[in-house]
Amino acid sequence: FADAAHYIRQPDDGRCVALDEEGPGILWFVRHNHWHGSPWTYTVDGRDTVVSESSTADPTRPVEGSVFLPERAFPAGLTWTWSTTKGADLSWVPIPFERSLRLSYGRTRYGTGYFIFWKIMPGIALSRPLAGWTADDAPPREVLDLLARSGTDIAPRGNGPDEAGAASLAPFETRPLLRLDGPGVLRRLHFRVPAASADAFIGARLRAWWDGRRHPSIDAPAGLFFGTATLLRDEGQEWIVKSFPVTVRVDGDAIEFAAYFPMPFLRDARIEIAAGAAPIEGLRWSARTEPYRGPANGVGLFHATHRDFPSPEPGRDLVLLDTAETEGGGPWCGHLVGTTYQFTRAGRLETLEGDPRFFFDDSLSPQVQGTGSEEWGGGGDYWGGRRMTLPFAGHPVGRPKAEARTDLDRIHSAYRFLLTDLMPFGRRARIGLEHGGLNDSAEHYETVTYWYGIDRPGLVLTDELDVGSAGDEKAHGYLSPDATPPERLASRFELGPDSIPVPGGRGRIEIQPETVDDGRRTRTWSEFEVKLRPDNLGVLLRRRLDLAFPDQRARVLVSPP
């Protein structure tokens, strides 16, 4: 179990350390595979608190309806266990720490997890003082009540009635829906569609422009925008998506779609719908806004970026969003707030072994690295093939393989929305996802990435120091008398497999990298072997070289099958 037993250290038999950070900071989210690893020890600023799941005492006989303990500190609504998620224990309870945070597992059996936390610059202005968490810090009742309203109309009521209208669209017709004058914030966007036209509606494109921008900031299939790839449902099922920011609800002979992401605009807003090959009859829509009275630089624009991957490229992550190329490109600053992703059309859930990998502000290594995309969607063990929909994570459509009878049954999608655990970036965000555990899946992926941003940097690179470069050290007055001499490391950062299966043959490519001197540093890469498909050898070879040796040279020897 390669992902199942990696820990930083083991100070004693009862604690395996999975997370160890200096403060100040806030841990916003924790995900464990089932109840495995419980009891967990949270060591906040030197104080130990044991947290467990009610299946801990007899882990081979898990308790249905299980909860986190102590329950007052980890209440339902901010926590969910495997009996609801079909495979994971999730906690959105915020854990602030001033000096240090350590999270340890009590059991190592399949104790996987991932954590989302912020590191806070000392002295930065906060809305409230940061104090180290204790088990006596119960989440505010108002927060739990608000989350309990997921699926209902959570938008503030405006000063007047919602703007509303109706339309029917011919095949491939584009219809403007509304235009709003700013400054304002769109707080609720709602559609009601007869069931007979609902499948046509989810395939239509929803587009929105803010403040006269040339490129639409929302440009996505309506279904994926509202959190689902299909409208698969059982007889009598009310909710397809019951999340906090978007919902899809069956109401008699109609289906309702609602979005509650706040969408600010300073000058104007324009929204349209574009039908696909099928007509849309009897569409009704409404929009609720409120005035925006804050400073012009106090908000970012809302974006929903769609990407379609009918034939994923072997050996390369899917790029769900790269702000350097999106909507005209250039530097952007803002926050990542979620994704919806279709990961198979053929019921192949092994695609979920693909890891999310997110890079912010031109980092050379990912700030977000997961162990699979079902974990990102709040599940574990592929949700047992089952469906679930929670405020911030869900697997709303797709049936288990043994129960799949139609093409619709075999289409699966998931979502993950971020609120307190949103991810900031100062100049660039590159959101990626492996397609399958080795970037080797040929499944059809389709994604929407939700983010806020403005098209100018909040972080500007002013200088850089290459420790180990004599010239750089001298130019910066850097001196480290006790340092050892610089050494060359014959290795590289791995962002994909070094081997791709070769159907019907065993072709071999040996890459012998050359030493490269770019004027500032000298780097040597070690020799290794890459196996590629001989039917597309040249193209794949160029891609592998670009992946393994960016901006480098290499000598290549090719052995035919």
mmCIF file of all heavy atoms in Angstrom, residues 222-229 241 246 248 340 396 413-415 417 450:
data_model
loop_
_atom_site.group_PDB
_atom_site.id
_atom_site.type_symbol
_atom_site.label_atom_id
_atom_site.label_comp_id
_atom_site.label_asym_id
_atom_site.label_seq_id
_atom_site.Cartn_x
_atom_site.Cartn_y
_atom_site.Cartn_z
ATOM 1 N N ALA A 222 -23.903 23.862 -18.668
ATOM 2 C CA ALA A 222 -24.721 24.198 -17.504
ATOM 3 C C ALA A 222 -24.695 23.086 -16.458
ATOM 4 O O ALA A 222 -24.642 23.349 -15.258
ATOM 5 C CB ALA A 222 -26.157 24.498 -17.935
ATOM 6 N N GLY A 223 -24.726 21.825 -16.885
ATOM 7 C CA GLY A 223 -24.737 20.733 -15.914
ATOM 8 C C GLY A 223 -23.507 20.724 -15.043
ATOM 9 O O GLY A 223 -23.593 20.698 -13.810
ATOM 10 N N LEU A 224 -22.321 20.757 -15.661
ATOM 11 C CA LEU A 224 -21.087 20.760 -14.890
ATOM 12 C C LEU A 224 -20.979 22.016 -14.028
ATOM 13 O O LEU A 224 -20.465 21.967 -12.915
ATOM 14 C CB LEU A 224 -19.878 20.654 -15.814
ATOM 15 C CG LEU A 224 -19.545 19.258 -16.358
ATOM 16 C CD1 LEU A 224 -18.394 19.333 -17.334
ATOM 17 C CD2 LEU A 224 -19.220 18.292 -15.232
ATOM 18 N N PHE A 225 -21.445 23.154 -14.527
ATOM 19 C CA PHE A 225 -21.403 24.367 -13.718
ATOM 20 C C PHE A 225 -22.209 24.183 -12.432
ATOM 21 O O PHE A 225 -21.800 24.655 -11.363
ATOM 22 C CB PHE A 225 -21.964 25.554 -14.508
ATOM 23 C CG PHE A 225 -22.042 26.821 -13.702
ATOM 24 C CD1 PHE A 225 -20.919 27.609 -13.509
ATOM 25 C CD2 PHE A 225 -23.237 27.219 -13.110
ATOM 26 C CE1 PHE A 225 -20.974 28.772 -12.750
ATOM 27 C CE2 PHE A 225 -23.307 28.382 -12.354
ATOM 28 C CZ PHE A 225 -22.177 29.158 -12.176
ATOM 29 N N PHE A 226 -23.334 23.495 -12.509
ATOM 30 C CA PHE A 226 -24.163 23.276 -11.321
ATOM 31 C C PHE A 226 -23.786 21.983 -10.577
ATOM 32 O O PHE A 226 -24.540 21.549 -9.710
ATOM 33 C CB PHE A 226 -25.638 23.267 -11.704
ATOM 34 C CG PHE A 226 -26.182 24.632 -12.056
ATOM 35 C CD1 PHE A 226 -26.364 25.003 -13.375
ATOM 36 C CD2 PHE A 226 -26.478 25.554 -11.058
ATOM 37 C CE1 PHE A 226 -26.852 26.265 -13.701
ATOM 38 C CE2 PHE A 226 -26.967 26.813 -11.370
ATOM 39 C CZ PHE A 226 -27.148 27.176 -12.707
ATOM 40 N N GLY A 227 -22.635 21.388 -10.907
ATOM 41 C CA GLY A 227 -22.089 20.338 -10.069
ATOM 42 C C GLY A 227 -22.292 18.905 -10.511
ATOM 43 O O GLY A 227 -21.976 17.989 -9.753
ATOM 44 N N THR A 228 -22.772 18.673 -11.747
ATOM 45 C CA THR A 228 -23.030 17.294 -12.144
ATOM 46 C C THR A 228 -22.842 17.110 -13.646
ATOM 47 O O THR A 228 -23.150 18.015 -14.435
ATOM 48 C CB THR A 228 -24.447 16.852 -11.742
ATOM 49 O OG1 THR A 228 -24.628 15.478 -12.084
ATOM 50 C CG2 THR A 228 -25.513 17.700 -12.416
ATOM 51 N N ALA A 229 -22.373 15.921 -14.031
ATOM 52 C CA ALA A 229 -22.201 15.618 -15.447
ATOM 53 C C ALA A 229 -23.488 15.124 -16.086
ATOM 54 O O ALA A 229 -23.652 15.218 -17.306
ATOM 55 C CB ALA A 229 -21.096 14.581 -15.631
ATOM 56 N N VAL A 241 -27.804 17.267 -6.691
ATOM 57 C CA VAL A 241 -26.704 17.992 -6.034
ATOM 58 C C VAL A 241 -27.303 18.839 -4.925
ATOM 59 O O VAL A 241 -28.176 19.670 -5.177
ATOM 60 C CB VAL A 241 -25.936 18.894 -7.023
ATOM 61 C CG1 VAL A 241 -24.858 19.696 -6.293
ATOM 62 C CG2 VAL A 241 -25.313 18.064 -8.141
ATOM 63 N N VAL A 246 -23.986 25.319 -5.015
ATOM 64 C CA VAL A 246 -24.823 25.005 -6.182
ATOM 65 C C VAL A 246 -25.742 23.842 -5.837
ATOM 66 O O VAL A 246 -25.395 22.982 -5.030
ATOM 67 C CB VAL A 246 -23.977 24.666 -7.438
ATOM 68 C CG1 VAL A 246 -23.182 25.875 -7.911
ATOM 69 C CG2 VAL A 246 -23.063 23.486 -7.180
ATOM 70 N N VAL A 248 -28.953 21.058 -7.555
ATOM 71 C CA VAL A 248 -29.804 20.532 -8.631
ATOM 72 C C VAL A 248 -30.890 19.711 -7.949
ATOM 73 O O VAL A 248 -30.594 18.739 -7.251
ATOM 74 C CB VAL A 248 -29.014 19.664 -9.623
ATOM 75 C CG1 VAL A 248 -29.944 19.136 -10.707
ATOM 76 C CG2 VAL A 248 -27.856 20.448 -10.237
ATOM 77 N N THR A 340 -15.535 20.807 -10.374
ATOM 78 C CA THR A 340 -16.430 19.703 -10.711
ATOM 79 C C THR A 340 -15.757 18.919 -11.815
ATOM 80 O O THR A 340 -15.221 19.512 -12.759
ATOM 81 C CB THR A 340 -17.804 20.218 -11.178
ATOM 82 O OG1 THR A 340 -18.492 20.815 -10.084
ATOM 83 C CG2 THR A 340 -18.652 19.088 -11.722
ATOM 84 N N PRO A 396 -22.244 12.804 -7.130
ATOM 85 C CA PRO A 396 -23.703 12.797 -7.280
ATOM 86 C C PRO A 396 -24.232 11.824 -8.318
ATOM 87 O O PRO A 396 -25.398 11.429 -8.227
ATOM 88 C CB PRO A 396 -24.012 14.239 -7.682
ATOM 89 C CG PRO A 396 -22.771 14.725 -8.356
ATOM 90 C CD PRO A 396 -21.631 14.034 -7.660
ATOM 91 N N SER A 413 -19.294 11.633 -12.059
ATOM 92 C CA SER A 413 -18.653 12.924 -11.798
ATOM 93 C C SER A 413 -18.643 13.182 -10.303
ATOM 94 O O SER A 413 -19.381 12.551 -9.532
ATOM 95 C CB SER A 413 -19.365 14.066 -12.536
ATOM 96 O OG SER A 413 -20.632 14.347 -11.965
ATOM 97 N N ALA A 414 -17.785 14.094 -9.895
ATOM 98 C CA ALA A 414 -17.647 14.464 -8.488
ATOM 99 C C ALA A 414 -17.428 15.962 -8.401
ATOM 100 O O ALA A 414 -17.135 16.620 -9.415
ATOM 101 C CB ALA A 414 -16.500 13.708 -7.835
ATOM 102 N N TYR A 415 -17.550 16.496 -7.190
ATOM 103 C CA TYR A 415 -17.260 17.925 -6.986
ATOM 104 C C TYR A 415 -16.549 18.115 -5.667
ATOM 105 O O TYR A 415 -16.637 17.294 -4.749
ATOM 106 C CB TYR A 415 -18.535 18.774 -7.042
ATOM 107 C CG TYR A 415 -19.573 18.476 -5.967
ATOM 108 C CD1 TYR A 415 -19.458 19.014 -4.680
ATOM 109 C CD2 TYR A 415 -20.679 17.677 -6.237
ATOM 110 C CE1 TYR A 415 -20.419 18.751 -3.697
ATOM 111 C CE2 TYR A 415 -21.638 17.407 -5.275
ATOM 112 C CZ TYR A 415 -21.503 17.956 -4.006
ATOM 113 O OH TYR A 415 -22.438 17.692 -3.027
ATOM 114 N N PHE A 417 -15.860 21.717 -3.337
ATOM 115 C CA PHE A 417 -15.931 23.168 -3.183
ATOM 116 C C PHE A 417 -15.147 23.589 -1.950
ATOM 117 O O PHE A 417 -15.090 22.875 -0.943
ATOM 118 C CB PHE A 417 -17.389 23.621 -3.080
ATOM 119 C CG PHE A 417 -18.194 23.309 -4.315
ATOM 120 C CD1 PHE A 417 -19.342 22.525 -4.244
ATOM 121 C CD2 PHE A 417 -17.806 23.778 -5.550
ATOM 122 C CE1 PHE A 417 -20.080 22.220 -5.374
ATOM 123 C CE2 PHE A 417 -18.528 23.482 -6.697
ATOM 124 C CZ PHE A 417 -19.676 22.702 -6.608
ATOM 125 N N TYR A 450 -13.669 26.548 -10.454
ATOM 126 C CA TYR A 450 -14.270 27.777 -9.948
ATOM 127 C C TYR A 450 -13.190 28.579 -9.213
ATOM 128 O O TYR A 450 -12.459 28.030 -8.376
ATOM 129 C CB TYR A 450 -15.412 27.475 -8.973
ATOM 130 C CG TYR A 450 -16.427 26.460 -9.467
ATOM 131 C CD1 TYR A 450 -16.178 25.089 -9.338
ATOM 132 C CD2 TYR A 450 -17.632 26.848 -10.036
ATOM 133 C CE1 TYR A 450 -17.097 24.145 -9.762
ATOM 134 C CE2 TYR A 450 -18.558 25.910 -10.471
ATOM 135 C CZ TYR A 450 -18.295 24.566 -10.327
ATOM 136 O OH TYR A 450 -19.211 23.632 -10.753
#
